[in-house]
Amino acid sequence: MLMFGPLRCPECRASYPVAEGVADLVLEHGSAGGLQRGLESRWVARSYERHVRPALQRALLRQPLDTDSEYLLYRSLLGTPDGPVLDLGCGTGLVARRLAREPAFPLVAGQDLSPAMLEEGVAQAREAGATVDFLRAQAPALPFLDGTLGAVLMADSLHYLEDLGRLMLEVARVLRPGGRWVASTYAPPGSASGFLHRRVGLHPRAEATLRAATSAAGLVRFERVALPPLLVLKAEKGSAESLR
């Protein structure tokens, strides 16, 4: 794990700072919705796992799964990753550090945009004795080489990203053949509530939209677990044989 920087790209020769275990790859921060701005608050980050995340889940899902059931669902859909696992939109690393503590589990990386969340994630991982590589980067761009990841997990974060098409292309690019994408989101509310959700930076989609986006990116074996309004999704990058 990198603790201090800078981190240099051998191809473009760009230099990025690394401090306290977080590589910061964000050169220009694009505009963020109101909810995203709130998630960049240190107070929110420190209370995220205990108070903020449960409150958001209750507001969006009405009857969310308990933490253990939610984790077991993600874990079963991830299967046995054949390579590093990216927790995209990791927040404070609640799921990432639990994955990292599993025996013989591959390397776990956590990517998020909020510096406060990542700082809290590093502290929580140290306290838990979990090895997680944290990096700050702005999705849908994923700063990984083609075909290097065994899985990409988006636990409760898919609805924060607006450009679904580009996201899925990036996911397909970085996954190894047979690698899995696992994500959770919530079904779109009615038109009036949907407008308010978009105003604060949330982008829920219907299952048909998500299925079409994964297919357009070349991912296969789309599956979903529906616990309305919760949607948990899985898709795979085709094996080397099927890609020939």
Side-chain angles (χ1 to χ4, degrees):
M1 177 185 295
L2 287 171
M3 295 304 297
F4 299 98
L7 181 67
R8 293 184 176 86
C9 175
E11 294 187 4
C12 68
R13 301 189 181 278
S15 181
Y16 304 93
V18 179
E20 293 298 326
V22 178
D24 191 343
L25 308 184
V26 178
L27 296 178
E28 295 182 6
H29 190 340
S31 59
L35 188 54
Q36 176 62 46
R37 287 195 297 272
L39 294 174
E40 296 184 9
S41 158
R42 278 191 167 84
W43 179 88
V44 170
R46 288 172 183 165
S47 59
Y48 181 71
E49 293 184 16
R50 181 171 294 183
H51 301 296
V52 177
R53 186 175 189 266
L56 284 172
Q57 288 189 323
R58 284 193 297 271
L60 299 177
L61 304 178
R62 296 193 295 273
Q63 292 183 327
L65 296 175
D66 63 88
T67 303
D68 286 340
S69 298
E70 183 184 10
Y71 176 79
L72 290 174
L73 181 54
Y74 297 143
R75 185 66 190 86
S76 66
L77 293 173
L78 284 171
T80 306
D82 181 24
V85 174
L86 172 64
D87 183 0
L88 178 56
C90 65
T92 55
L94 175 65
V95 178
R97 64 177 181 267
R98 190 161 176 177
L99 289 172
R101 294 185 64 188
E102 288 203 11
F105 198 82
L107 173 72
V108 178
Q111 175 179 332
D112 204 277
L113 183 60
S114 167
M117 288 285 185
L118 292 169
E119 289 171 12
E120 181 68 15
V122 170
Q124 292 276 7
R126 287 175 182 166
E127 185 175 335
T131 301
V132 179
D133 287 328
F134 288 101
L135 59 115
R136 181 174 181 243
Q138 188 163 15
L142 304 182
F144 297 89
L145 296 175
D146 297 359
T148 54
L149 299 182
V152 175
L153 172 66
M154 301 184 68
D156 207 25
S157 63
L158 180 58
H159 40 269
Y160 288 100
L161 292 177
E162 182 175 6
D163 194 340
L164 178 63
R166 186 180 170 202
L167 168 70
M168 298 316 303
L169 288 172
E170 279 286 273
V171 168
R173 179 184 65 79
V174 300
L175 282 177
R176 295 181 175 181
R180 294 184 178 184
W181 171 71
V182 175
S184 62
T185 185
Y186 65 100
S191 56
S193 298
F195 174 76
L196 294 176
H197 285 223
R198 290 189 295 275
R199 284 292 299 271
V200 299
L202 293 171
H203 307 278
R205 286 108 173 168
E207 179 187 337
T209 300
L210 295 164
R211 183 186 293 269
T214 58
S215 178
L219 299 182
V220 298
R221 299 185 185 89
F222 180 92
E223 297 179 13
R224 66 98 175 92
V225 178
L227 301 167
L230 175 67
L231 288 173
V232 183
L233 317 160
K234 177 183 81 71
E236 297 181 9
K237 185 169 183 175
S239 64
E241 290 77 13
S242 67
L243 292 173
R244 289 174 184 169

